Amino acid sequence: MYMKLESLFSFSQTQIPTNEIASLLYFDGSCSDVTVGGTTFEGITKITEYGGGICGETGSSTNLLISSCSFIHCSGPYGACIGIECNGGDVTIQNSYFEGNTVSSSDATKGGSLYIKYEGQTDISLSRIVFRDNIATNTATMEACDILLHSTSLPFPLTSTTGLITTLSSPGSSLFVNSTHDQNPIVGTSIFSFPTLIAQSSATATTGCGTVATPCKTISAALTIAKTTSPIRHVITALAGSYDEPVLTLNAVGGHVVFLGDVLESVVMRPDSSVLLSESQFRVETGSFECRRMNYVFPRAQTSLAIVYASGLFLLDNVTITTPLTTSSALFQSSGILMIAGCTLKNIFLGAQPLVRFSGSVSNAEESGMYFTQIQNCSSNTSAIILAAATANIAPLNFIGCQFVDCSSTGNLTGNLIKLTLAGSIVTISHCHFQNITGTFGSCVAVEGPDSSVFQCLVENCIFFNCSATGASTDSHFLLSNTTALFLAVKADRTIQSEIPESLGEVELRKKRTACGACMFIRGSAASCNVETVIIRSCLFDTPDATLGSAIFAQSVKLSISDCSITSFNETKNQIVILNGSATLGNVVVEGQSLFDENSSSTTAQFDWFWGFSMLFSSYSDLVITNSRFNTSRIGAIRQLKGSSSLDNVVFLNNSFYPLNFPQMRSNVWCTDNGVVTVIDATFLDEKIAEDNGTFAWITDKSCSLVTPVASTDITRPAIPLPVVSDVNPHGTTSASTIPYLDVLGRDFFMFNLTCRVEALFDNKTIFTMLAVYVSETACQCPLTQDIVAKTGGQFRVSVANDGTTTSNSRACVFTHSFDAGFIIDRLIVNIGYGALILFGTIAIIVVLVRMIMACNIHHVQKKAKAERDKQREESEMSENEQDRLLPSQAHSPLTSGSFNGDYQSKPSNVEPEYDS
């Protein structure tokens, strides 16, 4: 049984009836955890017995925590505010305030605003509690007005009594211990009675002041008077008003000063003009400063509230902090002890620095009961609201009872609220509340360990409500390359075959890949995988929203998750991601929306690879899951890529996988890439399984080993659903740009290594396998090659396997046309064209050669004829010349002598003479 009361509750003016056990809050020893934080009890009256506000008894397993609570003007016989009877377990009361409470018992063993009766076996811790003006009305018994510890036979086991402060103003004692045992660990210095100095803004005195009659005008004037005493131990009570103060410095060993607002939220404090921009309002070098019950306003962005050095302690309790400007320096810088309890920080715009920065050799740090609201990180340089730098010297950091509401980040940040970079440190985040938080990734809590570092982080009893991660718009983060590789790995394992949606731009895709760990982002190193580095227990994750690890994103760590619930009304969101590490899940419930409607369609019209991660995604990791439940998911329950998982008493209910395309499929454990699944005990409450044994509970790849069968169910089916082929329709092609394929119809076709097997009808040895193209749960396509069609003659048997190995029944398929067997028309046309081109080219060459030969012959003939003509001409000329030489001698011949007329013509010698008949 658990009981929690947090988130700034308030009870006032209540009278408890006459009943021994009646109280506002009552618990008994059967409760395992009781937590009361940030709650105010005012004007509560208990008529009889003890514990008007909180009353109860602890058992052996009870853990009681009361933190950052106020008890004002309550009354009762004893234990007017709190009455506890301890019979075991742990009791812790811290950072609380008791004012003006009245106890009236006549029994000397009973009294106190806080009454604890010890019966044995209980560890009790009281720390940082202020008791102011509480009254014990029966002075005769000298009862304690503040604390009464009662033990009749055993020593009182106070393990811690640090910082107990009283401003006793009535007779009696502040602390009374009644124990018959000789060993009493309570010493007189466990609780201090501090004198009070009064400050009032309307006063005029700055020296010799501090009394009710003569209050100091400023808090700094009262502090100056307090520093004149030794040791410096004072309460400075500021009455209602506004105070402009210089730097308030404490540098005194053992010094302890409390600034106390007289009435909650009636005192306003701000830095005056003497405070430089680089300075802080409070400067704690040595000693302890406490600031309680007041409002603080930052009029300038550069001024911080407190600087705490290694030997200093600063406690802020029930303080409201606001600023109208964008801050440019951290509000708190600490290398000492910083404790912030019950405070409210609102309407703050962060600039280049976080609100709280831990660095150096921080000896201790605690934030308890804080309330952060409407804080925005408006600069990409800001790391977080709370930032711890990487150093091995940081001692335990504690965040207890803090609230973060309506905070957002507009930069590319790792960790919007709490970012812890730790080396050898221990962090506790307990009883914190995160609501309406938006960031890049690790929106609420981001814990990182440098290489080769080991750290420990405990997150317990926290609530995360409506937190989201939007992803980084730049590629400057290590996360982008890691998650891109992860997406490619999921896509490459032959399970998700669709491409990135074309409508998704580059920036949107980058944001989608880096939207991780809306609630918790944890990254360690190889060294942190070997020890239990992160423990998450008793936490509630309600409606987280991110692409990967909406609730928890863990990488390279050893993780333990127990007694946690993750609920989302978007059943398509991946909730837990574990990479390269190990995890133990016990008593964990992960569920989608409460009503399961298999016929409702998803808002995503196209299946994309972001769906391939299930509720719980594990990659290269080892999981042990016990006493847990996964139900109502639209993307499957558990997705395991390599690694191992052990399931013991795990319940699966109504986990479908993309019901738009797989309306009948249930995906509970989906393992690929040689992973190992050991099932010790698993139960399937899927209503479809009860109706139809054909609905499969397991989608496990053959490459993944299922070590033991399902033990708690009588449904005996193979781990891989066996598809059924009813018909095959061939589609040939006449174009080289397309390929032949087969339309395969049937049922139970799933996208998990879906393959086709083609076997030639004429030869059982001619077998081809290829990856199938998913169409729907009742149809797929088998792409072929021209070579397959040609070698089988277009005649073969076709079967399908969901796991790439175990095939279904087969159906014969025959291509009926000759061109289906590798005869491609456009390829033939191209070949004919090439042939024609070669033929015509050859003919052209032959024609050219013939014409060249003919031209050469004609030229030779012409040349020969010309030579003949030239020869004849030469002979003719020679003949004429010969005749010309003969003419002079012929003049004395008889033929030419005498009378000779010119009618005579000589004839060629070859001319026959003409004769008359």
Side-chain angles (χ1 to χ4, degrees):
M1 179 179 179
Y2 304 89
M3 185 173 76
K4 298 180 183 179
L5 182 63
E6 299 177 301
S7 304
L8 304 178
F9 282 97
S10 179
F11 299 96
S12 63
Q13 305 301 323
T14 302
Q15 178 171 311
I16 306 301
T18 306
N19 188 315
E20 180 178 350
I21 65 172
S23 298
L24 279 178
L25 297 178
Y26 176 80
F27 62 91
D28 60 23
S30 64
C31 290
S32 58
D33 287 292
V34 179
T35 300
V36 184
T39 303
T40 298
F41 299 83
E42 184 173 358
I44 309 300
T45 301
K46 183 72 181 290
I47 304 300
T48 61
E49 296 300 327
Y50 59 85
I54 301 174
C55 176
E57 57 183 270
T58 66
S60 59
S61 61
T62 302
N63 296 307
L64 172 63
L65 172 63
I66 300 175
S67 179
S68 304
C69 291
S70 296
F71 301 86
I72 302 172
H73 300 147
C74 299
S75 62
Y78 59 101
C81 304
I82 301 175
I84 304 170
E85 183 175 321
C86 300
N87 298 295
D90 298 324
V91 174
T92 301
I93 304 174
Q94 62 185 16
N95 300 329
S96 294
Y97 180 79
F98 295 78
E99 178 188 348
N101 303 295
T102 302
V103 293
S104 57
S105 174
S106 59
D107 188 341
T109 64
K110 299 178 180 179
S113 300
L114 169 60
Y115 172 79
I116 300 176
K117 183 179 181 181
Y118 177 67
E119 299 292 344
Q121 305 301 319
T122 305
D123 292 328
I124 302 173
S125 174
L126 307 176
S127 59
R128 298 182 298 279
I129 303 175
V130 171
F131 298 91
R132 178 190 179 196
D133 298 339
N134 299 303
I135 301 171
T137 61
N138 194 328
T139 59
T141 59
M142 293 297 293
E143 64 182 324
C145 60
D146 294 327
I147 304 174
L148 192 142
L149 308 177
H150 182 200
S151 176
T152 58
S153 61
L154 299 171
F156 215 93
L158 274 175
T159 59
S160 174
T161 57
T162 59
L164 302 185
I165 302 170
T166 179
T167 59
L168 182 66
S169 59
S170 67
S173 63
S174 179
L175 172 66
F176 183 86
V177 178
N178 183 292
S179 176
T180 59
H181 200 280
D182 294 336
Q183 298 179 13
N184 186 354
I186 304 297
V187 294
T189 56
S190 294
I191 185 165
F192 301 105
S193 181
F194 281 22
T196 300
L197 296 171
I198 305 297
Q200 187 173 16
S201 60
S202 59
T204 58
T206 56
T207 60
C209 55
T211 64
V212 175
T214 309
C216 295
K217 178 178 177 58
T218 62
I219 295 174
S220 60
L223 177 61
T224 301
I225 295 174
K227 287 181 178 180
T228 62
T229 63
S230 181
I232 302 174
R233 290 176 180 169
H234 277 79
V235 171
I236 299 176
T237 300
L239 304 181
S242 180
Y243 297 82
D244 294 340
E245 299 293 336
V247 176
L248 304 176
T249 303
L250 181 63
N251 186 9
V253 177
H256 195 158
V257 178
V258 178
F259 301 100
L260 186 64
D262 182 54
V263 180
L264 189 64
E265 297 187 351
S266 66
V267 175
V268 178
M269 183 177 177
R270 61 173 60 89
D272 66 13
S273 58
S274 68
V275 180
L276 300 178
L277 297 180
S278 59
E279 292 182 322
S280 296
Q281 184 72 79
F282 294 92
R283 181 183 180 91
V284 190
E285 298 178 3
T286 304
S288 301
F289 255 155
E290 296 186 21
C291 185
R292 298 173 179 262
R293 297 166 60 80
M294 61 177 59
N295 294 343
Y296 192 88
V297 178
F298 286 89
R300 293 169 298 182
Q302 296 89 345
T303 304
S304 61
L305 179 59
I307 295 180
V308 185
Y309 292 86
S311 299
L313 180 150
F314 184 73
L315 168 65
L316 205 67
D317 178 54
N318 277 295
V319 174
T320 298
I321 300 173
T322 59
T323 177
L325 303 174
T326 300
T327 64
S328 59
S329 62
L331 300 190
F332 303 94
Q333 302 181 58
S334 176
S335 58
I337 300 176
L338 175 63
M339 287 172 270
I340 307 175
C343 296
T344 298
L345 289 83
K346 63 182 180 181
N347 300 326
I348 296 176
F349 291 82
L350 295 182
Q353 296 294 331
L355 272 177
V356 183
R357 178 189 295 276
F358 299 111
S359 60
S361 301
V362 175
S363 57
N364 198 355
E366 179 172 307
E367 301 197 3
S368 176
M370 293 191 66
Y371 183 71
F372 299 84
T373 179
Q374 296 179 354
I375 298 176
Q376 297 185 25
N377 289 349
C378 53
S379 170
S380 60
N381 297 323
T382 304
S383 296
I385 291 177
I386 301 171
L387 173 66
T391 171
N393 297 322
I394 294 183
L397 301 176
N398 300 312
F399 304 89
I400 301 174
C402 298
Q403 296 186 73
F404 300 84
V405 179
D406 298 329
C407 299
S408 62
S409 169
T410 58
N412 294 308
L413 311 175
T414 309
N416 177 34
L417 302 183
I418 301 175
K419 180 181 179 181
L420 309 173
T421 305
L422 307 173
S425 302
I426 300 175
V427 178
T428 299
I429 302 174
S430 178
H431 299 87
C432 293
H433 185 89
F434 303 85
Q435 179 174 339
N436 300 333
I437 308 300
T438 302
T440 307
F441 49 90
S443 304
C444 296
V445 179
V447 181
E448 299 183 51
D451 293 340
S452 302
S453 67
V454 177
F455 61 88
Q456 296 182 35
C457 179
L458 169 63
V459 181
E460 62 178 354
N461 297 298
C462 293
I463 297 176
F464 300 84
F465 177 75
N466 194 32
C467 302
S468 62
T470 59
S473 60
T474 65
D475 57 2
S476 59
H477 298 83
F478 75 91
L479 187 61
L480 181 65
S481 60
N482 284 5
T483 55
T484 299
L486 180 61
F487 278 109
L488 293 176
V490 171
K491 186 177 176 61
D493 72 359
R494 300 173 62 200
T495 57
I496 306 300
Q497 299 155 16
S498 63
E499 299 296 331
I500 303 172
E502 295 181 358
S503 60
L504 206 60
E506 180 179 353
V507 174
E508 289 77 11
L509 179 62
R510 184 181 297 116
K511 286 185 175 181
K512 199 172 183 69
R513 288 178 181 170
T514 57
C516 303
C519 300
M520 291 202 64
F521 177 90
I522 309 157
R523 185 177 72 98
S525 63
S528 59
C529 292
N530 300 321
V531 295
E532 193 167 57
T533 51
V534 180
I535 300 174
I536 303 173
R537 65 189 181 200
S538 302
C539 292
L540 172 64
F541 302 86
D542 193 343
T543 324
D545 186 8
T547 301
L548 289 181
S550 295
I552 301 169
F553 183 98
Q555 180 179 2
S556 300
V557 295
K558 187 175 182 181
L559 178 67
S560 173
I561 307 174
S562 61
D563 302 313
C564 292
S565 176
I566 302 174
T567 304
S568 175
F569 287 102
N570 188 339
E571 70 280 17
T572 64
K573 292 296 181 181
N574 165 257
Q575 301 299 336
I576 302 175
V577 168
I578 301 170
L579 308 179
N580 305 323
S582 62
T584 300
L585 282 73
N587 297 309
V588 175
V589 176
V590 185
E591 60 183 347
Q593 65 182 16
S594 57
L595 297 178
F596 182 80
D597 181 7
E598 67 178 24
N599 296 319
S600 64
S601 61
S602 169
T603 55
T604 304
Q606 178 183 357
F607 185 97
D608 64 64
W609 56 353
F610 300 111
W611 286 62
F613 292 92
S614 298
M615 280 182 167
L616 168 61
F617 179 84
S618 168
S619 175
Y620 291 86
S621 301
D622 299 320
L623 305 182
V624 176
I625 306 175
T626 60
N627 303 316
S628 297
R629 179 162 57 92
F630 298 84
N631 65 272
T632 320
S633 169
R634 302 282 180 113
I635 55 175
I638 299 175
R639 174 72 165 92
Q640 180 180 327
L641 182 66
K642 297 186 180 294
S644 67
S645 61
S646 175
L647 309 179
D648 186 0
N649 192 22
V650 180
V651 176
F652 298 95
L653 170 64
N654 291 335
N655 295 305
S656 66
F657 185 84
Y658 194 57
L660 185 65
N661 291 50
F662 301 106
Q664 300 299 324
M665 189 181 77
R666 301 293 182 266
S667 176
N668 292 310
V669 178
W670 171 16
C671 174
T672 58
D673 289 61
N674 300 308
V676 177
V677 179
T678 303
V679 182
I680 301 174
D681 191 4
T683 303
F684 305 100
L685 301 179
D686 195 322
E687 58 187 32
K688 284 293 179 182
I689 293 179
E691 295 175 2
D692 178 13
N693 282 354
T695 303
F696 299 96
W698 291 85
I699 304 298
T700 306
D701 196 300
K702 278 293 185 183
S703 63
C704 179
S705 176
L706 187 61
V707 174
T708 57
V710 178
S712 63
T713 177
D714 57 356
I715 301 175
T716 57
R717 62 171 61 88
I720 304 297
L722 191 63
V724 176
V725 176
S726 59
D727 194 13
V728 180
N729 297 317
H731 293 268
T733 179
T734 58
S735 171
S737 61
T738 60
I739 61 173
Y741 66 94
L742 307 173
D743 270 334
V744 182
L745 305 179
R747 60 183 175 87
D748 297 330
F749 296 154
F750 300 149
M751 198 182 293
F752 304 92
N753 290 326
L754 185 63
T755 57
C756 293
R757 185 175 187 270
V758 175
E759 178 182 339
L761 290 177
F762 62 82
D763 182 3
N764 294 335
K765 296 181 181 180
T766 305
I767 300 174
F768 303 92
T769 59
M770 71 288 299
L771 184 66
V773 177
Y774 157 80
V775 176
S776 71
E777 197 167 301
T778 59
C780 69
Q781 291 180 348
C782 301
L784 305 176
T785 64
Q786 303 294 341
D787 184 62
I788 293 176
V789 178
K791 288 183 177 180
T792 60
Q795 300 182 13
F796 35 69
R797 288 187 173 275
V798 180
S799 57
V800 177
N802 277 334
D803 62 352
T805 304
T806 308
T807 57
S808 66
N809 62 309
S810 62
R811 292 285 182 177
C813 174
V814 178
F815 284 97
T816 57
H817 302 288
S818 59
F819 58 77
D820 289 328
F823 190 80
I824 307 302
I825 291 179
D826 56 358
R827 184 179 300 169
L828 179 62
I829 293 174
V830 171
N831 292 337
I832 293 175
Y834 284 139
L837 180 62
I838 294 173
L839 176 62
F840 287 121
T842 303
I843 294 175
I845 293 174
I846 293 173
V847 169
V848 169
L849 291 175
V850 170
R851 292 181 62 86
M852 291 178 62
I853 293 172
M854 292 178 64
C856 291
N857 291 334
I858 293 173
H859 178 70
H860 179 73
V861 170
Q862 290 176 347
K863 185 177 180 181
K864 185 176 181 180
K866 182 175 181 299
E868 289 293 335
R869 289 195 299 272
D870 291 342
K871 182 178 179 180
Q872 290 179 0
R873 187 168 50 253
E874 290 177 357
E875 292 177 351
S876 176
E877 290 177 354
M878 292 177 61
S879 176
E880 290 177 355
N881 293 333
E882 182 69 22
Q883 290 179 1
D884 290 339
R885 287 195 302 271
L886 295 176
L887 284 178
S889 61
Q890 291 178 351
H892 302 281
S893 91
L895 292 177
T896 58
S897 59
S899 62
F900 177 79
N901 57 24
D903 296 331
Y904 173 79
Q905 294 182 356
S906 64
K907 295 182 179 181
S909 60
N910 61 344
V911 177
E912 291 288 336
E914 296 181 355
Y915 298 101
D916 294 333
S917 55

